[in-house]
């Protein structure tokens, strides 16, 4: 079955620790995205990648880092510099990013709690 | 600036019809998406509109007016499983999605 996987579903960390969230897709999509979702707010874009070895900052990239070494994988690292890391993190992919309609497919999400 | 507005919460009765409105302001426009999100789960695609008018898909329909910066999602014959948040997202000139905060729909028996 094609889809996007994120692991783990729940993650707990102590303040000051870096943590990496995984995202893998087998849809052969070129574009991948990381969003953060907080209660009462829309999805906010952290980073996106249109092609392997290239990625762009979204609206709230500070305190986060990503890599795109393989088409299938787009891990997100939440660093200790991120002031409010506790949130629901969603990874998505789409066939492309320009030229028209490209629906985004979402993974199940990782709920990160930092105390 | 870019902005998407939709009501925070709506309540409807099982079997009834509900309309969820969305207004948008974006720099450029390349279409509008509606997604459904059950609590704690990933959003799933419902519809996409880029031209003015109504798109019907089973019990769900979506309408777009580009001149008014307005869209709505119409849900008919409501079922309890339709209780979820409905997210409106507009595509800007860079083909990036600008997301609304979502409308939580509560269905009562």
């Amino acid at each position: 079955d094609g889809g996007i996987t994120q692991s783990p579903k729940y993650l707990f960390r102590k303040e000051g620790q870096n943590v990496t969230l995984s995202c893998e897709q087998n849809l052969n999509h070129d574009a991948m995205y990381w969003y953060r979702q907080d209660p009462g707010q829309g999805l906010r874009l952290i980073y996106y990648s249109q092609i392997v070895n290239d990625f762009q900052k979204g609206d709230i990239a500070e305190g986060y880092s990503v890599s795109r070494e393989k088409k299938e994988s787009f891990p997100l690292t939440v660093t200790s510099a991120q002031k409010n890391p506790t949130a629901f993190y969603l990874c998505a992919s789409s066939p492309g990013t320009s030229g028209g309609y490209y629906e985004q497919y979402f993974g199940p999400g990782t709920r990160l709690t930092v105390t | 600036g870019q902005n998407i507005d939709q009501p925070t919460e709506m309540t409807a009765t099982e079997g009834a019809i509900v309309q969820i409105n969305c207004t948008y302001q974006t720099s450029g426009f390349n279409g509008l998406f509606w997604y459904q999100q059950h609590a704690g789960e990933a959003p799933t695609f419902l519809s996409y509109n880029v031209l003015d008018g109504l798109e019907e898909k089973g019990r769900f329909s979506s309408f777009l007016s580009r001149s008014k910066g307005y869209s709505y999602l119409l849900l008919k014959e409501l079922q309890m499983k339709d209780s979820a948040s409905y997210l409106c997202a507009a595509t800007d000139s860079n083909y990036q999605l600008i997301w609304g905060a979502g409308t939580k729909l509560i269905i009562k028996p």
Side-chain angles (χ1 to χ4, degrees), chain A residues 41-71:
Chain A
Q41 297 192 40
L43 300 182
R44 291 185 290 167
L45 184 63
I46 304 172
Y47 269 98
Y48 66 100
S49 168
Q50 297 174 291
I51 197 168
V52 174
N53 291 323
D54 186 51
F55 47 82
Q56 309 294 327
K57 291 182 179 180
D59 300 321
I60 56 164
E62 185 175 348
Y64 300 97
S65 66
V66 293
S67 62
R68 186 89 186 274
E69 297 176 1
K70 298 187 299 182
K71 188 175 186 177

Side-chain angles (χ1 to χ4, degrees), chain B residues 15-106:
Chain B
I17 299 173
V18 71
Q19 177 175 311
I20 302 174
N21 296 324
C22 170
T23 57
Y24 63 88
Q25 286 181 306
T26 55
S27 55
F29 178 75
N30 285 295
L32 189 131
F33 290 85
W34 283 96
Y35 281 78
Q36 181 191 59
Q37 186 179 25
H38 286 98
E41 297 182 10
T44 55
F45 170 79
L46 289 177
S47 68
Y48 172 75
N49 295 68
V50 67
L51 300 176
D52 286 356
L54 187 68
E55 296 273 347
E56 297 188 75
K57 194 184 292 186
R59 294 189 299 115
F60 292 9
S61 302
S62 57
F63 171 84
L64 177 68
S65 169
R66 294 177 67 126
S67 62
K68 295 182 179 178
Y70 168 69
S71 173
Y72 68 72
L73 181 69
L74 191 71
L75 291 76
K76 302 176 186 176
E77 300 169 15
L78 286 170
Q79 302 174 9
M80 297 304 292
K81 67 178 182 179
D82 297 329
S83 292
S85 288
Y86 291 86
L87 312 181
C88 172
T91 314
D92 70 10
S93 56
N94 295 319
Y95 294 94
Q96 296 304 316
L97 285 179
I98 311 301
W99 294 84
T103 298
K104 183 178 180 180
L105 178 63
I106 299 167

